[in-house]
Amino acid sequence: MSTRRWARRAVPGEDAAPNGRVTTPPAVAATPTSPLPGQGLGARAFQPSLEILLYAALSLAALLSRFWDLGSRALHHDESLHAYYSWIYAEGEGYIHHPLMHGPALFHLDALAYLLFGATDYVTRVPAAAFGVALVLLPALLRGERLLGRWGALLASFLLLVSPSILYFSRFIRHDIFALAGTFLLFIAFLRYVERPASRWLVTGGVTVGFMLTTHEVTFVSLFILATFVAAAIAYRVAPALFLILGAGLVGLGFLAAGLTQLGVAPLPEIPWQNPTRGAVLSYLLALVQHPLVVGALGIALLTLIGSLWLLDHIRDPERGWIDGLLGLAPPGTTARALADALADRTGLALGAGLGLALFSLLYTSLFTNLGGLASGTIGALGYWLGQHGVQRGEQPWFYYLLLVPQYEYLAALLFPVGIGIVAGQGLRALARGQELDGRWYTRALLAYWGAVMLAVLSWAGEKMPWLIVHITLPLTLLAASLLGSGAERLERAWASWDERQRRLSVCLGLASLGLAAAWFLLMAWASAGPFVQATTSGFPQLVRTIRPEIAGHWRWLWLPLLVLAVIAATVAAERRYRPHLLTMSAALSLGLALLQIHAGWRLTYREGDVPRDMLIYVQTSPQVVQLTRDLEALSHELTGGMGLEVWYDSGTQWPMNWYLREFTNRRYFGTTLRELPDPPPPVILYSLEYLGNMPPDVARELEARYTFVEYPMRWWFPEDETYRRFAIAPELKNEARQNYQTDQPPPYSAADVLRSVWSSIASLQHPAQQAKLFRLVAFRELPATIGSYRFRVYIRNDLVPYVNDLRYGVGSAGAHDVASAAAQHNEEHRSGPGISGTRAS
Amino acid sequence: MAQASPARGQAEPTVLDRRIDLTRIDREAILWGGLFGLALLVRLVGLTNYPLSPAEAQFASDGLALLQGGALSSGGQAQPLPALAAALALFLFGAGDGVIRLVPLLAGLLTLLLVARLRPWFGPGTVLAAGLLVALSPALTALSTRLDGGSLLLLAVVATLAAATRFDRKPGHGSAVVLGVSAALVPLAHPLGWAVLVALALWGLWERGPALLRHALPLLGGMLGTALLTSTALLSRPGGVFGFLEGSLSLLAREHLAAPLEAWPLPLVLLATDELPATLLALAALAGALGLRIRSGEPLPQPLASLAAWTGLALLAALLLGGKGPALYGLLALPLALLGGVGLHTALAAIDWRVARSPWDVAVTGSAIALLLALLSLLGRLLGGPGGQVTAWLAGLLALLIIALGLATLTAWLWRQAARPQSLFLTIPLALLLALGLRSSLLLNMTNTVRPGELLSAGATSPGVRLLVERVTRLSRDVTTFQADVRDPTGGHGLVIAIDPALEQPFRWYFRDFPNVQVVPLAGAVPLEPVPDVIIAPAGLEPALTATFPHIVFRTYPLRSGMPEALANPDWQAVLSAPVDPWTVKRYLAYLIDRQVAEPPPPEPFALGLRADLAERLYGPVIP
């Protein structure tokens, strides 16, 4: 019975012989190329393949793009926290883990970087950049034909290289890039182990999990995704009926929750994340285990478990153990077999787990100086961030990532639904026909599942931040690369079979596709570049850009290039012998989208990385802060000969000023209130507008009399309210004022209201003005509103104002030159007459 | 069991499997690789030292307008190819001076690549030598580091020649279309391209008339299609084709044809200074070829004759046409470099390199170089005169004399020991010429105002302009930090800036983020609304503007470097007496090294006016 069942079922990741017997898949050549005959390894090094050369070029590009000009962007608030506490650690003052700032890996890496290279803004981001480079090159480990394929892996590296979000956050010292690289490596280890079990992948997996747990709590989501995928794959192989039992359990849980709500039972107790004292935590745990929902859920879970065990016991081979009896009969290349092999490989498991645990312990205990870190790193971290779910910091709506991802990751966003469709379609067809699917389907299924669940979980989570986008971007990008890689393979085969005329036709179609897309872009840019007019928006007069008057009645003609493109594509598709040319057209359009990503990513990363014209930039420190720091350093050098300038700053400017003023030996933090000024007063005072009113009147008067101030933005942010928040109603937000930016309808809102709001936004795009606004927002980051800012004042003592002006504007009162005197001086220096050789150029 | 998709257990060989045997890389390929590296280095050094010139800034503004849907200037319509190329660069990398100059830089490198494609005509050695001269040519370096359409014009010319080579070898519809496309790019790049296109067409009809006429349809189709797509920016600006034809032709007439023989000595100055190495090598090639012809009675070899004719025509055009600038110089420098490549290759071929293995021959060459340097120093000291320190001068003279005598004795002795001492001597002038070319190209962008006599930098925007712009920008950021609207959502660009049309560029480009920039004629000195905070005007308007805007504090600053009078109007008497006047020779050599002139030209100034409180911040409380 079991053999027949193995043969009948469509099994992802394995191959079957024509008679239905499952066979071991042929060994996959890691590198299906061979050097010239008679050549050894040494000679092979001088005969690199084109693939190796392309990876070398990608490596170089990754290094340059991640490390170039790393320090010029102002440090974000979170970055300054991480930099400062890492610096404190490097200075020998220790580090104690707190869940608020996530895992300890970042702090250890940054502290190490400071020890090696000194503490600067550039060095602060070096660890992130290094992991960013590694991320770009990791797809090479998935080159196998049953994984991404060689073209797919190459394209994955390229797409990760030019991904705007991954590029930007590879140069951003937060935990996400470390967690992301670890997650990717873990999934690689999993796929490679399933493909061909080897201890090294077990060990890699173990160490990687240990590392991931020291980075960011999104790791728990990644582990959940992997665990549920593995469980589903195994359940499908071993006992599909398990899905019914689990489904029944979930339905039961749903009924229980609904029933208890109807009965008016209080919700679950709140996690005491703000002040997790021992007593508070114990009270919480007691209340939790006594809650009817928890008790009921435990009961349902127990019933589900008993039912599952009964089923498994019923189907397993009774003459073999549980593991062998259930999993051991699975053919190689399957998840079940991989799990059986892993459980049998005790050495690999022990080594992986041991090393992972060692890394976890080493970092959470701050190199064994804080044993309490073991508790805060496990229960503390998870509890804290589960508690944050209710806080909804940032108050971002459910559709946040649905709007954020397509603005930057064009290829990944476009191909994600295509990928899901292909995976689902192939899977269902194979299931219906009893056919088998290959390893590449399995890889795509994992990527699609990973992307979908990550998107769902992060969209559900209370705290949504732009840097979390990378955790969605990665699986979507890999899936896109897999699809494009298959397309590249097919195109390569077709190209080899074409004659000269067909190749020329293909190139022309590709160029025409790109040209038509570019023509549409230029037309839209022109048509949407109308004049700015005064209008009243929400009761306020405001400048609004309109479309060009001459195009007003003819807007639909702008879509003509895309229509022509569609007609060409349809014509090519209709004729069977020309159909392969669609591959070239797709390749050309993919290249166009990649160029669009470069357009978005370059400006975002290298030009305006600290100016929130982008939705990806969230409450960013302004570049004026960096300029101010440079001016203060120069002033300090002039006045004190070192870093002895006395600078006072308040609570509102504490971050990032704790970092930027770290070398100023006479810096002084005075909290929220400046109670008095000493005599002589300090040269420079930084005071946020938030706390300015706290000053006693006499101090305020003295400040006014003895100082001159200039006001700057400390942090500034993207105008959310006037842009994406209007997309749909977000009834899940606790703050009712932020639920509905579309209509005047008061809360509460139903699901139908939400759907109506979504439809309203989509339908509004039929209006040319809306199309123009959206186009200019995405293409040029042309904002329909000004950005908001948190301001602070820089008070300069009056006697120092000329110095500061001189430093700031570079021209002192004594240094003003006019042309005449400059020319005369220049002529005098460079005059050459007979017999005089003149001044030699240096 | 049917398979839903084929099992991919076995990998098929793909293009990724192709191996490149690094141990068998062609020596010629390595040399070309080195040439590209050299060309890139020479062009990258100091790429953004100079601010954009008005012409560059106009293309930059046009590129931005094309990308973001704004209106193009007449200059952008007249030269659509540079505007489109600028738009592509801005699209990918954002707005910046370096990004704008990426276009000519890449065009220059591509030109070098296409020169390599001329191997079938001239032979690999000659083309390699020509490539070296192209890489080191100051005129071509200037062209590759300024976006004025010249670099794209040269690229189009060389591309047309390469396409013509391909058409010649394999005439067909495909190669005719490619030829048409590249030919169309010539006038699209620069108005001078019309003249070049006519010359190319005449040459093509003369050489391969029947073949071209047979493929006239695809050829013209390629040309017209390219012209249409480029001038209309892929049909997004339908009126562009008329703007191109009208603008380009009127620009050609106005700037180049309307003032014949304008500043005609300048191309000759270029040949005698910046392009001296290529000039001498080209003359050597011609002299050698003519000498051979006289001895053998055979005609000049075809490629050499064509190159000589091309160079001669280019020189004639450079002398006759007005609007002297890098584009015109580049059209002369390219064939000159190709012709010079013939001379360089011939000279290198004449050297018996095996002699370099003999230590005596190497030693006599080294000794001769040292002797030459000593003699030059001695001559320089003699011509320099004592300068009030007779004793020191005499002591120095004596020392140099002793050194020279010693070196002469050593050289004579080594001469007797060496096998073929004269063989390597040719390397000395070649090395000096190439070193001169390298130095001239490197220093072109690296140093700026310390070389006031540099012909190729004449008319360049003063480096101080960008510094002033940065200061005004910083001032604006401090004074109008929170003055924001949708045109300037970040705030900080709230100053009202009035610019006179004569100085619209490059200031319009540098103040592109300021929404309140107005380009208004200031000559009438009438009050403006809104009242400007900053005024930029020609220096001559300062007195009138001071009266009209009493709240504005004016100062003058350098705007553009001038053309040295010694170059624009050479002292022909001194030039003609140069062979016999050592002081003239000395001044000439000093000019070659340092570009120093007797009367450095004063820079063209402009007036910058600032509102009084802004001026106080910038200049301090005491305002003269």
Side-chain angles (χ1 to χ4, degrees), chain B residues 375-445:
Chain B
L375 288 172
L376 283 173
S377 292
L378 184 63
L379 184 65
R381 202 167 186 92
L382 274 170
L383 294 174
Q389 295 181 326
V390 179
T391 316
W393 182 72
L394 282 172
L397 264 184
L398 191 62
L400 279 171
L401 200 60
I402 293 169
I403 291 169
L405 280 171
L407 284 171
T409 310
L410 177 65
T411 306
W413 180 76
L414 287 171
W415 186 285
R416 285 193 291 277
Q417 313 303 317
R420 292 180 57 194
Q422 67 278 11
S423 297
L424 288 181
F425 274 25
L426 198 51
T427 58
I428 301 172
L430 288 179
L432 282 173
L433 284 175
L434 293 176
L436 179 66
L438 179 64
R439 178 191 162 90
S440 298
S441 292
L442 276 177
L443 295 188
L444 181 65
N445 290 326

Side-chain angles (χ1 to χ4, degrees), chain A residues 33 492 548 599 808 811 816, chain B residues 15 17 69 91 474 555 618:
Chain A
T33 62
E492 192 183 3
R548 284 186 182 267
H599 159 73
R808 194 147 178 82
V811 181
Chain B
V15 71
D17 294 317
F91 169 75
R474 201 174 286 182
R555 290 204 176 179
L618 206 60

Side-chain angles (χ1 to χ4, degrees), chain B residues 99-464:
Chain B
V99 172
I100 291 299
R101 289 191 171 144
L102 205 58
V103 172
L105 179 70
L106 288 174
L109 292 175
L110 279 173
T111 303
L112 189 57
L113 181 71
L114 287 173
V115 163
R117 299 285 297 234
L118 300 177
R119 275 202 308 278
W121 289 77
F122 304 112
T126 302
V127 164
L128 201 56
L132 179 61
L133 293 177
V134 166
L136 295 183
S137 161
L140 296 176
T141 300
L143 213 60
S144 296
T145 53
R146 282 137 177 78
L147 180 63
D148 63 351
S151 193
L152 289 167
L153 172 62
L154 281 195
L155 175 62
V157 168
V158 179
T160 305
L161 291 176
T165 309
R166 188 162 165 258
F167 178 79
D168 194 44
R169 277 204 315 264
K170 201 173 154 191
H173 280 14
S175 53
V177 168
V178 171
L179 179 59
V181 167
S182 50
L185 293 175
V186 173
L188 288 166
H190 197 280
L192 279 173
W194 290 110
V196 176
L197 184 64
V198 167
L200 283 171
L202 288 173
W203 170 75
L205 286 169
W206 176 268
E207 291 284 330
R208 295 283 182 271
L212 284 172
L213 290 171
R214 264 200 307 277
H215 296 92
L217 205 58
L219 179 70
L220 287 172
M223 280 186 75
L224 290 172
T226 304
L228 185 68
L229 286 174
T230 308
S231 60
T232 61
L234 303 177
L235 302 177
S236 65
R237 312 271 179 134
V241 66
F242 302 110
F244 159 61
L245 288 170
E246 189 198 339
S248 185
L249 290 170
S250 67
L251 205 60
L252 174 71
R254 197 171 62 242
E255 291 210 356
H256 300 289
L257 300 179
L261 292 170
E262 178 195 49
W264 66 268
L266 291 179
L268 298 176
V269 172
L270 182 79
L271 292 180
T273 57
D274 287 297
E275 297 300 324
L276 181 68
T279 305
L280 289 178
L281 288 167
L283 287 172
L286 282 174
L290 284 170
L292 269 173
R293 182 171 185 264
I294 291 169
R295 279 204 294 271
S296 65
E298 287 175 5
L300 280 179
Q302 180 47 38
L304 185 61
S306 301
L307 275 179
W310 181 6
T311 309
L313 270 171
L315 179 60
L316 193 64
L319 290 170
L320 288 174
L321 294 173
K324 302 279 192 289
L328 205 52
Y329 300 148
L331 283 175
L332 172 59
L334 180 63
L336 188 70
L338 294 175
L339 189 57
V342 175
L344 180 60
H345 179 244
T346 308
L348 288 171
I351 298 170
D352 186 358
W353 295 99
R354 291 171 301 180
V355 172
R357 286 190 206 139
S358 159
W360 295 114
D361 291 83
V362 172
V364 74
T365 308
S367 177
I369 292 172
L371 175 62
L372 178 67
L373 291 173
L375 288 172
L376 283 173
S377 292
L378 184 63
L379 184 65
R381 202 167 186 92
L382 274 170
L383 294 174
Q389 295 181 326
V390 179
T391 316
W393 182 72
L394 282 172
L397 264 184
L398 191 62
L400 279 171
L401 200 60
I402 293 169
I403 291 169
L405 280 171
L407 284 171
T409 310
L410 177 65
T411 306
W413 180 76
L414 287 171
W415 186 285
R416 285 193 291 277
Q417 313 303 317
R420 292 180 57 194
Q422 67 278 11
S423 297
L424 288 181
F425 274 25
L426 198 51
T427 58
I428 301 172
L430 288 179
L432 282 173
L433 284 175
L434 293 176
L436 179 66
L438 179 64
R439 178 191 162 90
S440 298
S441 292
L442 276 177
L443 295 188
L444 181 65
N445 290 326
M446 267 175 70
T447 60
N448 31 55
T449 53
V450 294
R451 289 160 61 86
E454 175 57 69
L455 169 65
L456 293 168
S457 299
T461 306
S462 166

Side-chain angles (χ1 to χ4, degrees), chain A residues 550-563:
Chain A
E550 54 268 43
I551 201 69
H554 312 285
W555 186 266
R556 62 177 67 88
W557 290 104
L558 295 175
W559 294 89
L560 189 61
L562 293 185
L563 183 64

Side-chain angles (χ1 to χ4, degrees), chain A residues 356-369:
Chain A
L357 196 63
L359 186 62
F360 180 93
S361 307
L362 187 73
L363 295 181
Y364 270 104
T365 60
S366 308
L367 311 179
F368 305 117
T369 59

Side-chain angles (χ1 to χ4, degrees), chain A residues 581-599:
Chain A
H581 294 297
L582 282 176
L583 293 167
T584 318
M585 293 177 70
S586 304
L589 291 172
S590 300
L591 177 64
L593 288 173
L595 291 177
L596 263 176
Q597 287 188 200
I598 293 175
H599 159 73

